[in-house]
Amino acid sequence: MHQAVKTAIHNRVFRRFCLVTGDMLLCTAAYLWAFLLRFVPDPIPAAEEQAMWELLPVLLGLRLASLVWFDMYRLSWRYVGLPDLMRLFKASTASSLLFALLVLTRDTGFPRSVLVMDWLLVVVLLGSERLALREATTRVVRSLSLTPGSPRRKVLILGVNDLAVSLARDLARRSGAGYSLVGFLTDEAQAHGHTIYGQPVFGDLTQVAPVVVEHQVDEVIIALSHASGNDIHRIIQLCEKLPVQLRILHDPWDGHRQVALAQVRDVRPEDLLRRPPVRVDPKETGNYVEGEVVLVTGAGGSIGSELVRQLLTLKPRQILLLGHGEHSVFQIHQELQQEHGVTAVPLIGDVCDRRRLEQIFGKYRPTVVFHAAAHKHVPLMESNPTEAIKNNVLGTRNLLWVSERFDIKTFVLISTDKAVNPTSVMGATKRVAEMMLQAQGQRCSGRYMAVRFGNVLGSRGSVVPVIQRQILRNLPVTITHPEMVRFFMTIPEAVTLVLQAGALGNSGQVFVLDMGEPVRIVDLARDLVRLCGLVPDRDVRFRFTGIRPGEKLYEEVLTAEEGVVVTKYDRIRAAPLAQINERWLHSRVDALAQAAAEGDEEEIRQLLAEVVQTYRPSGLPAVASRVDAESRETESEEPAPARASGHAVRENGHRALEAATEGIRL
């Protein structure tokens, strides 16, 4: 029986036959009703009655022709909306005007008031018919789609705005979804006591607990427009001990307010970091990328792969995927081919291998370089400083040297906030990389810049996946310190700002991304526990392990000496250009390379402290006297040959260290 009803509902010919028959009957009823209203309480005069019956077939023909012309028989009964009713109004008006023109040009004695009443009645009756069909069809299909005895999930929506109302509309007409809307909560007092789609607005968000308990709510959906991280955090706490599933309506931030149940998803860690949207001018951002050959180092990593995805929208001529790990490069290359239909060039190589870089640049001639390859894990680099030097310092110098030799147009270094007043080897090596880039950028014709940002949610080594794994495995959540604070961004957000920064400023600048408000790691961990439906300190224990070597309680984005320069983008700041003695810098980098080749970790830390004067690892004696003596030398005091070409200085350094580094490449 159910199958027969479904077949009838979905049969196009059957639907059209029913609708045409119903329309003609209603048009006839409206016509006769108009005559009765015109002459009530007296009977219709014989002459008018004769004209009425003679002209009825003409009117029905015009009505049917007009409805067909305006495509009123192609619409779906279940999705009749305001645009369909507007078309119905136009069709009824057109047929009434044609009928009036026909009647009034002939001396038939036809009552003119009937023409107006007939038009009004037919609009109301045909519109009501379609709305009734929509409601009936929706109810029938929904009842047939639900299995007997299957419970409906009761839903409470937090928020009263365009997003929330659009979601309520979709829930009301969605068949087979098994949802039942209970009502709304909002902090907007003017909406309290009102109803939306027949469901009440109970009160403010603090009423979530009593409403959930009283109405046995199964699911709470956050539909707050432009909700901040603090808003999400507050709601998570309000729902902490409630037996409900907490979900969120994804707002695409594009001004589009027609949403559906498919856009509702589980709350994610990045929702706790919600900020105003990153607005990018594609024309301006893409100017330096469009039509160029773009090289991305570390292309298989979390940042590098997202860079590649977003670069596709800027229409480069070719993308080169350079990475040391073959599996990660293979994955991003396959994704580009299968999902985007783009042919990129996968390249396996190490930035520590200068000859390999020269081969790549000589063959493909890239003009734009994004350098994302680096060792970023602070504790690992603290115990393996030689590898941090080789990859983060020497690898960057190799890439800078080859980029200058092949006259690239734009070079963007992905840096970190840990380069500011570093307490770790990793942070110090990234600051050395920034300094080399700044020195070269002020001398070369190409544009060289660094972009500095903090922790990225979802990146390899991020704290969030570690905490999530511990929660899922029912292990204690380990945090180094209860006051540990970090800046966080999502990967797409960070990469969008990196591409934006690449279109800005002078060569040699360091750009700083606005990371929003810092987040306490312990607060983030507690929210992650709550998102799993557990209660912190009851279901999941927390254990503080102490600050690890190289870590800081608080991260910074600018040194005290740098200050800040505002750019035309709200989310990007720039450090003023720094004057760096390039000859002295590269002599220290040569010494770092030698110490790395010999595995002398103590010497590496001493040399890093000389180069990066704000680097003060624990237990390292002061080296200010050596730093001051050597850094006082300025470019103007250098011999003429050295001043003429920093390129030659670095070339000599490469030759001297070639043998020492040949056997220790990554």
Side-chain angles (χ1 to χ4, degrees):
M1 178 62 182
H2 285 178
Q3 186 61 39
V5 175
K6 286 184 180 179
T7 303
I9 289 175
H10 292 288
N11 187 287
R12 183 179 303 175
V13 176
F14 175 77
R15 290 201 312 269
R16 291 184 178 177
F17 173 78
C18 291
L19 194 55
V20 169
T21 302
D23 285 346
M24 295 302 100
L25 290 175
L26 290 175
C27 288
T28 302
Y31 181 68
L32 298 178
W33 194 1
F35 266 95
L36 290 173
L37 291 174
R38 165 64 180 81
F39 293 102
V40 71
D42 300 325
I44 303 174
E48 280 77 1
E49 183 177 1
Q50 181 180 357
M52 176 185 74
W53 292 114
E54 288 178 353
L55 293 173
L56 175 60
V58 177
L59 176 61
L60 294 179
L62 291 174
R63 295 281 191 221
L64 181 60
S66 182
L67 291 169
V68 171
W69 179 263
F70 282 90
D71 284 333
M72 293 309 301
Y73 296 115
R74 293 180 179 271
L75 56 84
S76 171
W77 293 359
R78 290 169 55 194
Y79 302 106
V80 173
L82 183 60
D84 302 307
L85 296 180
M86 288 301 300
R87 292 211 319 273
L88 176 64
F89 176 81
K90 293 176 182 178
S92 302
T93 303
S95 57
S96 293
L97 289 175
L98 289 173
F99 183 67
L101 183 64
L102 176 66
V103 168
L104 297 178
T105 55
R106 297 173 57 189
D107 187 15
T108 60
F110 196 92
R112 296 186 179 184
S113 58
V114 170
L115 296 175
V116 177
M117 288 187 288
D118 172 63
W119 170 69
L120 290 173
L121 288 170
V122 82
V123 169
V124 172
L125 291 178
L126 294 186
S128 301
E129 174 197 26
R130 279 155 175 77
L131 292 176
L133 285 172
R134 182 186 73 177
E135 184 64 21
T137 305
T138 300
R139 289 180 179 273
V140 170
V141 173
R142 183 184 297 138
S143 63
L144 295 178
S145 300
L146 291 173
T147 57
S150 61
R152 291 181 177 275
R153 290 181 62 81
K154 294 183 178 180
V155 174
L156 175 66
I157 296 179
L158 304 186
V160 173
N161 48 53
D162 290 344
L163 291 174
V165 172
S166 184
L167 175 62
R169 183 188 304 116
D170 189 63
L171 285 172
R173 67 186 182 187
R174 179 171 291 274
S175 63
Y179 288 94
S180 175
L181 179 61
V182 168
F184 303 81
L185 290 176
T186 179
D187 285 335
E188 299 177 8
Q190 63 270 25
H192 296 170
H194 293 183
T195 60
I196 300 174
Y197 282 94
Q199 303 303 328
V201 180
F202 294 107
D204 58 31
L205 299 185
T206 60
Q207 301 300 309
V208 63
V211 171
V212 166
V213 173
E214 180 182 352
H215 296 272
Q216 299 180 334
V217 173
D218 301 298
E219 190 169 309
V220 174
I221 299 178
I222 303 171
L224 303 177
S225 182
H226 302 289
S228 67
N230 289 333
D231 293 331
I232 306 299
H233 176 76
R234 174 193 171 204
I235 292 170
I236 291 174
Q237 288 186 314
L238 289 172
C239 298
E240 179 177 345
K241 298 181 181 180
L242 299 176
V244 295
Q245 181 181 6
L246 184 62
R247 305 182 74 196
I248 191 168
L249 175 61
H250 172 62
D251 183 359
W253 302 100
D254 60 0
H256 183 64
R257 287 296 178 266
Q258 294 299 318
V259 299
L261 186 60
Q263 291 171 261
V264 177
R265 56 167 173 77
D266 292 336
V267 180
R268 299 172 184 168
E270 54 262 36
D271 295 317
L272 298 168
L273 311 175
R274 279 194 169 192
R275 285 182 285 270
V278 177
R279 304 193 184 279
V280 180
D281 183 350
K283 294 182 179 179
E284 187 174 78
T285 303
N287 281 343
Y288 72 103
V289 172
E290 185 175 358
E292 304 290 343
V293 178
V294 182
L295 171 68
V296 179
T297 71
S302 51
I303 298 295
S305 58
E306 180 63 22
L307 260 172
V308 171
R309 295 184 192 100
Q310 293 196 26
L311 280 169
L312 294 179
T313 64
L314 304 181
K315 300 178 182 179
R317 179 157 58 93
Q318 189 177 44
I319 298 181
L320 310 178
L321 313 175
L322 177 60
H324 186 245
E326 62 175 348
H327 180 63
S328 59
V329 172
F330 172 78
Q331 284 184 316
I332 184 62
H333 182 239
Q334 287 293 106
E335 177 186 328
L336 295 183
Q337 284 187 314
Q338 296 174 4
E339 298 183 17
H340 302 284
V342 174
T343 302
V345 181
L347 300 168
I348 303 302
D350 193 336
V351 292
C352 296
D353 188 344
R354 183 161 63 95
R355 288 196 179 96
R356 174 61 174 151
L357 293 178
E358 289 174 335
Q359 292 170 358
I360 292 171
F361 274 70
K363 181 176 181 179
Y364 297 100
R365 299 285 175 170
T367 52
V368 178
V369 175
F370 290 92
H371 182 30
H375 287 327
K376 307 178 185 73
H377 198 280
V378 171
L380 279 180
M381 293 305 99
E382 206 64 26
S383 57
N384 297 275
T386 58
E387 302 307 304
I389 295 298
K390 293 179 212 175
N391 202 50
N392 295 357
V393 177
L394 302 182
T396 301
R397 182 164 75 164
N398 284 337
L399 195 61
L400 287 169
W401 186 90
V402 177
S403 296
E404 179 186 1
R405 178 181 170 187
F406 286 89
D407 197 25
I408 62 98
K409 297 179 181 179
T410 305
F411 187 109
V412 181
L413 168 68
I414 308 299
S415 190
T416 170
D417 58 359
K418 294 175 177 61
V420 181
N421 298 325
T423 58
S424 66
V425 168
M426 191 281 283
T429 57
K430 293 299 286 185
R431 178 55 190 152
V432 174
E434 289 181 357
M435 293 170 68
M436 292 188 296
L437 176 135
Q438 288 179 296
Q440 181 163 314
Q442 295 172 41
R443 177 175 46 77
C444 296
S445 59
R447 296 169 58 250
Y448 291 77
M449 60 206 71
V451 181
R452 189 187 287 166
F453 54 86
N455 296 271
V456 180
L457 284 178
S459 63
R460 296 176 183 176
S462 171
V463 66
V464 173
V466 175
I467 294 175
Q468 289 175 321
R469 284 195 297 269
Q470 291 174 333
I471 296 171
L472 293 175
R473 295 176 183 178
N474 200 27
L475 298 173
V477 173
T478 57
I479 300 173
T480 56
H481 194 281
E483 298 301 322
M484 183 72 69
V485 173
R486 290 292 180 268
F487 293 98
F488 284 98
M489 298 185 91
T490 64
I491 294 176
E493 184 180 23
V495 168
T496 298
L497 291 172
V498 166
L499 292 173
Q500 211 173 40
L504 289 174
N506 300 315
S507 186
Q509 278 192 311
V510 175
F511 292 101
V512 181
L513 305 188
D514 176 11
M515 302 291 292
E517 294 297 321
V519 178
R520 282 207 318 166
I521 300 298
V522 67
D523 291 338
L524 182 61
R526 289 180 179 275
D527 285 337
L528 291 174
V529 171
R530 295 183 182 105
L531 291 179
C532 294
L534 304 173
V535 178
D537 299 317
R538 187 192 73 183
D539 302 320
V540 176
R541 293 182 294 111
F542 292 83
R543 183 160 56 88
F544 298 99
T545 60
I547 298 177
R548 297 176 295 182
E551 283 189 325
K552 295 192 291 186
L553 277 180
Y554 304 93
E555 297 290 2
E556 305 157 273
V557 293
L558 286 170
T559 66
E561 294 78 14
E562 284 178 323
V564 67
V565 174
V566 177
T567 70
K568 61 182 177 180
Y569 294 121
D570 293 337
R571 303 287 302 280
I572 302 176
R573 301 291 183 268
L577 294 173
Q579 296 299 320
I580 296 174
N581 186 326
E582 189 174 12
R583 181 184 180 189
W584 174 83
L585 175 62
H586 283 287
S587 71
R588 297 297 85 197
V589 173
D590 290 343
L592 281 168
Q594 187 65 43
E598 296 172 355
D600 192 339
E601 297 182 0
E602 182 178 352
E603 179 66 11
I604 286 174
R605 289 185 170 87
Q606 288 280 358
L607 290 167
L608 284 175
E610 292 183 21
V611 178
V612 184
Q613 298 184 35
T614 55
Y615 171 54
R616 286 296 179 269
S618 58
L620 188 68
V623 290
S625 59
R626 287 177 61 186
V627 172
D628 292 343
E630 292 184 290
S631 63
R632 286 193 191 103
E633 181 185 0
T634 63
E635 291 290 342
S636 61
E637 294 169 342
E638 293 179 9
R643 188 168 63 250
S645 178
H647 184 92
V649 172
R650 284 175 293 135
E651 175 66 16
N652 293 335
H654 276 297
R655 290 174 181 170
L657 293 167
E658 193 68 39
T661 58
E662 186 64 35
I664 58 173
R665 301 194 196 282
L666 291 179

